[in-house]
Structure formats: structure tokens, C-alpha cells
């Protein structure tokens, strides 16, 4: 048995041990349970380091890879003003403010006011790193505590070529710099090219150095996609120069031009004047920043006669040789008297001469054969009065009234391009459909999108909205347009060695009643033997001269020459009159002796040649038909006039051959209209 003193020692020792155990256990409970989150966070702060990968906006490049918009790294200076006013600093704020302003460009009084405040503020944003180092050295000279200032990395958007500002747009700032698209492509594709800000943690050493590199996948994710445009920088530059020179020469209010690939819908150039610098967009008025190609509805005037001619030819209401009595340039048609401009007057002339010399009387008289609904339906199928769907924001729909709103003057106004107002993008898209075989394409300015490694994420596919006219009608319209340039009002648009087609338009603004103002425009395509590009240009309110043949046609020629050069379009044979298909005779320059149009009862209707080879066509061609044009190779895919239409000795039969032969009925106007209704 233990003695009593020993028992007391054991009890005291045990009690002490229990108390100590309880205290340690309580402390462990407090640390590991009650304050677990606090100490875990503290350990996390000691062992890890926060990192931020700032969003890096993707580039915008032209179709050959030349940069049009890019981002560079800059630094912004942030300060805590209390450190500049601390007694140990002994800083003359006025003197320091002037020195900082010298480097950053910020007014000295603004800097001094910020340094006298009580909140963290910036003394300069998006400055060059070299300048930032000089400011840091200045603060060190004044012995400002390093806690009192720091630098924040921000990106700055730059537009190295200063091209196509209305197409590229501009950016506003977010926490990472110029990374918030505000207009045009910068806005339309903002989500795709802005990149994303990445925030995370990594292990660190006792000296606060990262122990492992940043995750490569996150670095790549921070960078936005690159936009590869259809815009050609060289053609764009020439287009901008042409519209600016023309506007200056004729003291115009505005001008613009657009160049489009007729086979794909790709926009090669889009320019508006007045223009602006998107790197300093805030210094310009909204009027200068507006993309007139998309927004401004224009009364096209005689350019619209191409659409009128296409409808008349496609419906068979007239042929190129149909004789029209233009009555010497003045005629009473419906409720109004129609007049021709001096130099455009005709008497009895074939329809192609009506377009060649832009006769108002002849065009309006021919158009009276159209029914209202049929007429309106064709105009809508040309895309007039509706948005084209181009991948740019702010597109207008233009103005084309439904037949329910037509007045007694509409049937005499529409053929000449009045009572409707079209945007330039609508006009060039319609012109492309006239010359590419009749397909209305959706225009676009972004060819593809690439990731940060250059891999293609998405590529624009050719989109055919619908067919507007038959291929045979397209062939005839190309001849009509070429004839206008060779012998008519568009001679100033000619490019030696190349087959150019187009139409002038001189429009008096109908909404201005106090004085006369005009819009001179020209729409055309080239080369007409195998069309590649369509071009539309306009000049708003030119002074001194206002006829399109003098103002707009030369501007078109400059743009056409640049397109030929930079697209590598080979010249046609340098001849005075356009080339024709083998075995055919061009109507351009041909002398006509027909004085009246009488349908010979011996010629009841044109045979159906669909699906026949050239040899079979020659075998089955009636002896009465002597004027035949063969276009293409293969078997007959389309013909004009259509099967069953009546003809006379002067009628030209156009047969379009193709290796992919659809049914001839598919190109009939009624079938086209039915198909379009179904698609809607």
C-alpha cells in the first residue's frame, strides 16, 4: 500500500495531467474546429499566391493576314495620395504634378487635384512602359514610399493601318484595358474576340515566388479569337482614297463605295466619307462615324433601271430588240409627263438603246407592261427594302412600299428609281445577282475565325438566299451593262483592256423642295465575260457638276483599277466592242432597221431546248430562227425566251449550257415566285 503522502502526489500528478490534457484538447478544438476556416485561409495566403491572367483581345486582320486591329500592353499609374502628403516625403505637389503631366500628358492641375484627395486614384492610363519607368524613377527621386504607388497592366487597342474604321469599329475600357467593343465588328463579335480574365492560385516560396508555371490552357483561354476578314487592305485603301478625292474635287457632303465578290458575297472594301480615326473616336462627331453603306437609304435614280430591265427581260415582257417609242424625250404617261435629260432623247429605238442612253420615257413606257404584284415581288426578291443580313450591326432596311401604298405616280416613278430608297449594300448585292447567274447572296465581312494557335474555329460558307432571275436573263443583263459603258452614259468607267459593265444614276433629291441637290452614283461589275466583283459608289450633293457620268463613273474606274491589280484579274482582248460567244453576234454596235414589232403568225412559239446538246440544238433549230447565242458548255440549262413564247425574225435566242442541268421549268418566273413564297 502506498503511504498517504504518495497517494496525494499521485492524485495531484494525475489531476495536473488531466487539466493539461483538457487545456491542450480545448486549444486543439479551438484551432482545428472553431477557427478552422480562419487558419486554413491564413495558411493558404502564406503558401499560395494569387495570379490574374488578363484578357487579351484577339486581332482583326484582312484577307491576306495584314493587321487592321491589334492590342499592345501598357501600364496605368495608381497612387495612394496619403503617401505623397506624408511629412517624411516633403513633396511639392505643384512641382511634382507638372513633372508627371510632362510624361503622361494629363493636365497638371488635374494631377494635383487627385494627389490632394483621399482615395486611390490614377495619374495616367495606358501609357508606354518606358514612360512608366520614368515616372517610377521620378517618385523614387522624391523618396515616395513604394506602398504609395503601383502599376497596373492594361491593354490598348491600336489600328495600325487606320483603314476601314466604319467596318472595324472601336473599343471602350474595362478592368483589363480597351477590351469592350462599342461599334461595328468590335461590337458584333465582342464575345468571340474579347478573351476572358482568368483568376487563380499557385504555390509560392517564402520569397513570394511562384513554384510552378501558370497553366498553359488558362493562358490560351485568356486570349480572344482572331477575325480574318474578307476586306482586302490594298483595295480598301484605294477605295477610301477614291471617295475622298472625289468628295474634295466636287465639294460634296458625303460619298461612299463598296466592292463585293459576286460569286461568294464577300465584301472586299467598304468605305464612307467623311471618315474618322477609330483610335481617337471620341474626337469625332457621330455624323463622321456613321457607316453610310449600311445606314443611308439613297434614291438610286437610273441605277434602278437595271432592275427594271431585268424584270422585263425575265418575264418576257420585252426582248433586247423590242422597239420602244420614246417620243423624242417627252411623253405623257398616266398622270404625269415624263422627260429625258438633254443628250438622252430617243425616238423609236430598241430596248437595249433605251438602257444605253438611260431614257426615262422608254424605261417607264416599257415598265407599264408589268402587273403591280409581279413587279413588287421581283423587287423584294432582289433584296430591296429589307436587310441583307450582313455581319455588321446597324444595318438599315431601306424603303420599298408595298403595293397597297402605291400612288397613281408609283408606276411611273419606280422604273426610274424614285419612290424607293435603297442602302448601298442592298444595291451592290442586287447588282451581283444580276451578273452572277441570278443568285442573291448574303454579304459578309468575316471570312473565318481562328483561335490563339491559328486553328480555324469557324469559316463562313457561301449563302444563297434565293434565285432572282434566270441564268439567261443574267447573260442579257451583262450585255446591257457592258453596252452602257462601251457606247452609253458610262464611258468614263472604262478600263483599257477590260470588259466593264455598269449603269449611271443621277438623282435629284425629292425631299428637298427649296433648292436642287443631287446624288451621282454608278453601279457596275467586271470583267463581264466572267464577273468577279461588283462595285457601287455614290457622291452626295456634288457641286459644280452633278451628272454621274462626270462625277461617279471616274471614281468607279479608280476602284475598278485597284481591284483588277490586287485580285490579279487578267485583261480581256483589247478590242473596241465586247467579245461574244462563238457563233453569236453581239448586239452592241449592231445596226437595226426594224421599225415596228409585229409577231409573225408562222412563228407560234420558241421550242423547248432543255437538256439538249449543242449538236442536237442545231438539228432541231427551226429555219426561221437565225439569231442564236450559245453560252457555256454541256446541255441546255436555261433559255431566253422561255419555251412557248412567241418570237419574230429579230428575236435573239440565248441558250445557256451547263454540266449540271436543272429543269427548264425551275427557271420560269412563276416557279421562282412560288419557291420564294414557300421558303418564307
Amino acid at each position: 500500500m502506498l503511504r498517504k503522502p504518495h497517494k496525494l502526489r499521485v492524485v495531484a500528478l494525475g489531476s495536473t495531467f488531466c487539466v493539461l490534457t483538457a487545456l491542450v484538447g480545448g486549444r486543439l478544438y479551438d484551432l482545428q474546429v472553431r477557427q478552422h476556416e480562419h487558419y486554413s485561409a491564413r495558411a493558404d495566403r502564406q503558401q499560395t499566391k494569387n495570379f490574374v491572367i488578363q484578357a487579351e483581345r484577339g486581332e482583326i486582320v484582312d484577307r491576306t493576314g495584314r493587321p487592321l486591329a491589334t492590342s499592345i500592353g501598357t501600364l496605368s499609374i495608381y497612387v495612394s495620395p496619403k503617401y505623397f502628403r506624408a511629412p517624411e516625403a516633403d513633396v511639392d505637389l505643384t512641382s511634382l504634378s507638372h513633372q508627371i503631366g510632362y510624361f503622361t500628358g494629363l493636365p497638371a492641375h488635374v494631377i494635383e487635384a487627385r494627389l490632394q484627395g483621399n482615395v486611390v486614384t490614377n495619374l495616367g492610363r495606358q501609357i508606354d512602359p518606358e514612360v512608366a519607368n520614368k515616372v517610377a524613377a521620378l517618385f523614387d527621386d522624391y523618396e515616395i514610399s513604394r506602398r504609395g504607388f503601383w502599376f497596373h497592366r492594361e491593354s490598348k487597342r491600336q489600328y495600325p493601318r487606320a483603314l476601314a474604321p466604319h467596318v472595324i469599329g472601336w473599343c471602350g475600357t474595362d478592368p483589363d484595358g480597351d477590351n469592350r467593343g462599342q461599334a461595328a465588328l468590335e461590337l458584333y463579335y465582342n464575345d468571340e474576340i474579347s478573351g476572358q480574365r482568368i483568376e487563380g492560385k499557385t504555390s509560392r516560396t517564402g520569397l513570394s515566388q511562384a513554384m510552378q508555371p501558370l497553366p498553359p490552357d488558362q493562358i490560351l483561354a485568356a486570349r480572344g479569337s482572331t477575325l480574318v476578314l474578307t476586306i482586302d487592305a490594298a483595295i480598301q485603301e484605294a477605295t477610301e482614297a477614291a471617295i475622298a478625292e472625289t468628295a474634295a474635287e466636287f465639294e460634296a457632303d458625303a460619298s461612299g463605295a463598296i466592292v463585293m465578290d459576286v460569286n461568294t458575297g464577300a465584301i472586299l472594301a467598304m468605305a464612307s466619307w467623311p471618315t474618322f480615326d477609330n483610335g481617337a473616336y471620341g474626337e469625332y462627331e457621330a455624323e463622321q462615324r456613321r457607316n453610310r453603306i449600311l445606314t443611308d437609304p439613297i434614291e438610286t435614280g437610273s441605277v434602278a433601271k437595271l432592275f427594271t430591265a431585268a424584270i422585263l427581260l425575265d418575264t418576257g415582257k420585252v426582248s433586247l430588240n423590242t422597239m420602244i417609242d420614246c417620243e423624242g424625250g417627252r411623253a405623257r404617261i398616266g398622270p404625269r409627263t415624263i422627260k429625258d435629260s438633254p443628250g438622252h432623247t430617243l425616238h423609236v429605238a430598241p430596248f437595249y438603246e433605251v438602257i444605253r442612253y438611260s431614257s426615262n420615257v422608254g424605261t417607264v413606257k416599257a415598265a407599264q407592261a408589268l402587273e403591280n404584284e409581279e413587279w413588287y415581288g421581283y423587287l423584294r426578291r432582289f433584296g430591296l427594302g429589307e436587310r441583307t443580313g450582313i455581319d455588321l450591326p446597324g444595318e438599315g432596311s431601306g424603303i420599298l412600299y408595298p403595293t397597297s401604298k402605291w400612288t397613281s405616280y408609283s408606276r411611273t416613278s419606280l422604273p426610274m428609281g424614285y419612290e424607293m430608297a435603297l442602302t448601298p449594300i442592298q444595291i451592290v448585292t442586287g447588282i451581283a445577282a444580276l451578273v452572277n447567274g441570278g443568285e442573291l447572296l448574303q454579304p459578309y465581312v468575316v471570312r473565318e475565325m481562328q483561335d490563339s494557335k491559328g486553328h480555324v474555329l469557324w469559316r463562313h460558307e457561301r449563302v444563297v438566299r434565293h434565285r432572282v432571275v434566270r441564268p439567261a436573263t443574267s447573260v442579257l443583263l451583262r450585255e446591257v451593262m457592258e453596252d452602257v459603258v462601251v457606247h452609253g452614259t458610262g464611258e468614263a468607267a472604262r478600263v483599257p483592256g477590260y470588259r466593264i459593265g455598269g449603269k449611271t444614276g443621277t438623282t435629284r433629291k425629292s425631299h428637298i423642295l427649296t433648292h436642287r441637290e443631287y446624288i451621282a452614283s454608278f453601279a457596275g461589275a467586271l470583267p463581264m465575260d466572267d464577273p468577279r466583283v461588283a462595285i457601287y459608289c455614290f457622291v452626295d450633293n456634288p457641286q459644280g457638276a452633278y451628272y454621274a457620268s462626270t462625277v461617279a463613273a471616274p471614281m468607279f474606274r479608280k476602284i475598278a483599277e485597284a481591284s483588277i491589280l490586287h485580285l490579279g484579274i487578267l485583261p480581256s482582248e483589247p478590242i473596241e466592242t465586247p467579245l461574244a460567244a462563238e457563233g453569236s453576234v453581239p448586239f452592241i454596235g449592231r445596226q437595226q432597221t426594224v421599225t415596228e414589232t409585229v409577231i409573225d403568225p408562222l412563228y407560234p412559239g420558241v421550242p423547248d431546248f432543255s437538256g439538249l446538246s449543242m449538236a442536237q440544238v442545231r438539228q432541231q433549230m427551226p429555219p426561221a430562227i437565225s439569231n442564236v447565242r450559245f453560252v457555256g458548255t454541256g446541255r441546255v440549262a436555261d433559255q431566253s425566251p422561255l419555251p412557248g413564247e412567241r418570237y419574230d425574225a429579230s428575236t435573239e435566242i440565248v441558250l445557256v449550257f451547263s454540266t449540271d442541268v436543272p429543269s427548264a421549268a425551275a427557271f420560269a418566273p412563276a416557279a421562282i415566285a412560288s419557291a420564294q413564297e414557300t421558303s418564307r
Side-chain angles (χ1 to χ4, degrees):
M1 279 180 71
L2 293 173
R3 297 178 183 179
K4 188 173 183 180
H6 291 291
K7 286 184 177 180
L8 291 174
R9 291 190 189 105
V10 171
V11 170
L13 183 62
S15 299
T16 301
F17 180 78
C18 290
V19 170
L20 291 174
T21 301
L23 290 173
V24 171
R27 181 59 176 166
L28 289 174
Y29 176 81
D30 180 64
L31 293 174
Q32 296 184 9
V33 178
R34 292 183 56 200
Q35 300 190 58
H36 172 75
E37 293 184 1
H38 167 74
Y39 284 103
S40 293
R42 185 174 176 180
D44 186 63
R45 288 194 299 270
Q46 291 176 342
Q47 300 167 15
T48 62
K49 180 179 182 178
N50 293 334
F51 70 85
V52 174
I53 304 176
Q54 292 180 313
E56 185 176 353
R57 197 169 186 82
E59 289 188 333
I60 300 177
V61 301
D62 86 332
R63 71 187 191 99
T64 63
R66 288 169 286 199
L68 300 177
T70 187
S71 296
I72 62 171
T74 61
L75 295 174
S76 295
I77 306 172
Y78 286 86
V79 299
S80 179
K82 66 179 181 179
Y83 287 93
F84 287 76
R85 299 196 303 270
E88 62 272 15
D90 191 23
V91 175
D92 182 348
L93 293 183
T94 301
S95 175
L96 178 62
S97 298
H98 279 87
Q99 293 178 71
I100 297 173
Y102 174 79
F103 289 119
T104 65
L106 200 64
H109 69 277
V110 173
I111 295 175
E112 185 172 1
R114 292 181 181 181
L115 290 176
Q116 290 174 346
N118 296 312
V119 297
V120 172
T121 185
N122 76 81
L123 299 184
R125 294 193 64 182
Q126 297 179 328
I127 62 177
D128 186 272
E130 185 177 346
V131 174
N133 290 333
K134 292 180 180 179
V135 175
L138 176 65
F139 291 161
D140 289 338
D141 291 343
Y142 275 87
E143 299 182 352
I144 305 297
S145 170
R146 280 283 176 171
R147 295 182 178 182
F149 66 93
W150 58 93
F151 297 93
H152 177 65
R153 183 183 181 276
E154 292 186 2
S155 65
K156 183 176 182 180
R157 201 64 164 166
Q158 288 192 333
Y159 304 95
R161 293 180 176 269
L163 286 175
H166 300 92
V167 178
I168 304 298
W170 61 85
C171 289
T173 57
D174 67 5
D176 292 328
D178 290 342
N179 198 33
R180 182 165 53 87
Q182 291 189 317
L185 288 175
E186 295 276 27
L187 171 63
Y188 195 88
Y189 288 97
N190 183 66
D191 292 344
E192 290 80 4
I193 65 177
S194 61
Q196 54 181 315
R197 183 184 180 91
I198 306 295
E199 298 182 2
K201 294 181 179 181
T202 184
S203 300
R204 73 171 185 174
T205 67
L207 298 176
S208 194
Q209 295 176 332
M211 296 177 63
Q212 57 190 26
L214 300 180
D217 58 331
Q218 293 187 348
I219 295 176
L220 293 176
R223 181 173 174 81
S225 300
T226 295
L227 297 184
V228 181
L229 306 188
T230 59
I231 298 291
D232 186 294
I235 300 176
Q236 177 72 28
E237 186 173 14
T239 301
E240 291 183 9
I243 66 172
E245 290 169 3
T246 303
E249 179 181 357
F250 294 98
E251 300 178 356
D253 292 345
S255 62
I258 179 171
V259 183
M260 177 178 176
D261 185 319
V262 303
N263 297 308
T264 65
I267 303 301
L268 301 175
M270 180 186 293
S272 295
W273 187 92
T275 187
F276 68 104
D277 178 2
N278 45 357
Y281 66 92
E283 301 175 7
Y284 296 84
E285 301 293 333
E287 184 76 5
Q288 296 168 285
R289 301 196 300 259
R290 190 172 80 246
N291 188 346
R292 300 170 189 275
I293 301 299
L294 301 183
T295 62
D296 285 17
I298 296 173
E299 288 180 303
T300 59
S302 294
V303 167
K305 291 174 183 175
L306 291 177
F307 300 124
T308 304
I311 299 170
L312 289 168
L313 291 170
D314 204 57
T315 56
K317 296 295 191 297
V318 301
S319 70
L320 292 178
N321 296 312
T322 298
M323 306 305 289
I324 309 294
D325 186 1
C326 300
E327 302 185 35
R330 182 184 181 93
R332 184 76 178 178
I333 305 174
R336 68 195 300 182
T337 298
I338 306 297
K339 300 178 183 178
D340 284 327
S341 300
H344 298 259
T345 58
L346 297 171
H347 293 279
V348 177
F351 183 65
Y352 70 82
E353 286 194 0
V354 170
I355 303 301
R356 172 192 291 177
Y357 297 111
S358 197
S359 169
N360 294 333
V361 174
T363 305
V364 171
K365 290 187 73 172
Q368 301 313 298
L370 295 170
E371 298 294 333
N372 287 358
E373 291 299 334
E374 177 184 46
W375 193 350
Y376 176 75
Y378 262 98
L379 293 175
R380 292 291 289 185
R381 290 201 296 278
F382 270 112
L384 309 184
E386 63 183 23
R387 294 179 178 88
T388 64
I390 190 171
D391 49 345
L392 281 170
E395 181 184 7
S397 59
I399 301 172
L400 177 63
Y401 296 116
T403 54
S404 59
K405 293 187 177 181
W406 286 17
T407 68
S408 58
Y409 293 96
S410 298
R411 291 182 58 83
T412 53
S413 294
L414 287 168
M416 301 183 294
Y418 289 93
E419 280 199 27
M420 62 177 174
L422 313 176
T423 60
I425 184 68
Q426 290 175 342
I427 298 170
V428 78
T429 304
I431 295 299
L434 286 180
V435 301
N436 71 6
E439 294 179 330
L440 187 70
L441 302 174
Q442 182 177 358
Y444 60 99
V445 293
V446 176
R447 188 185 72 193
E448 64 186 31
M449 189 179 298
Q450 299 177 353
D451 65 14
S452 55
K453 291 185 176 180
H455 299 148
V456 176
L457 301 173
W458 166 85
R459 180 176 285 118
H460 195 283
E461 300 293 335
R462 180 176 185 267
V463 178
V464 180
R465 297 170 64 187
H466 47 251
R467 177 172 292 282
V468 182
V469 295
R470 295 177 290 118
T473 303
S474 177
V475 171
L476 297 177
L477 258 295
R478 280 152 56 178
E479 291 187 348
V480 168
M481 293 169 65
E482 190 174 3
D483 185 67
V484 170
V485 173
V486 174
H487 296 304
T489 58
E491 289 188 84
R494 298 183 68 178
V495 177
Y498 290 86
R499 297 176 60 180
I500 309 292
K503 184 71 184 74
T504 53
T506 305
T507 315
R508 180 181 176 184
K509 296 182 181 180
S510 60
H511 64 282
I512 296 180
L513 304 178
T514 57
H515 59 283
R516 291 176 179 263
E517 286 191 12
Y518 295 88
I519 295 176
S521 61
F522 193 95
L526 64 107
M528 299 312 288
D529 46 340
D530 183 19
R532 293 275 302 278
V533 296
I535 303 171
Y536 177 73
C537 54
F538 71 92
V539 182
D540 184 1
N541 193 26
Q543 304 298 309
Y546 59 85
Y547 281 115
S549 57
T550 303
V551 178
M555 180 166 71
F556 173 94
R557 185 186 68 248
K558 294 176 183 177
I559 300 171
E561 289 172 341
S563 301
I564 288 168
L565 175 64
H566 296 289
L567 296 179
I569 300 175
L570 297 177
S572 306
E573 184 179 350
I575 55 177
E576 291 302 318
T577 56
L579 298 175
E582 182 180 357
S584 65
V585 178
F587 77 84
I588 303 175
R590 183 172 58 200
Q591 298 298 318
Q592 299 288 333
T593 57
V594 180
T595 57
E596 58 181 350
T597 55
V598 180
I599 302 298
D600 192 320
L602 296 177
Y603 310 153
V606 177
D608 185 354
F609 297 109
S610 58
L612 301 182
S613 65
M614 290 188 184
Q616 291 171 328
V617 168
R618 290 189 176 97
Q619 291 173 359
Q620 298 186 23
M621 186 67 67
I625 298 179
S626 59
N627 190 4
V628 183
R629 179 195 303 270
F630 291 165
V631 179
T633 59
R635 294 182 176 272
V636 176
D638 189 27
Q639 65 182 75
S640 179
L642 287 169
E645 291 187 11
R646 303 182 72 186
Y647 65 95
D648 60 21
S650 66
T651 301
E652 179 184 41
I653 309 298
V654 177
L655 301 178
V656 179
F657 292 81
S658 174
T659 54
D660 182 17
V661 182
S663 167
F667 293 123
I672 295 176
S674 175
Q676 298 316 317
E677 266 320 302
T678 303
S679 67
R680 289 174 186 160

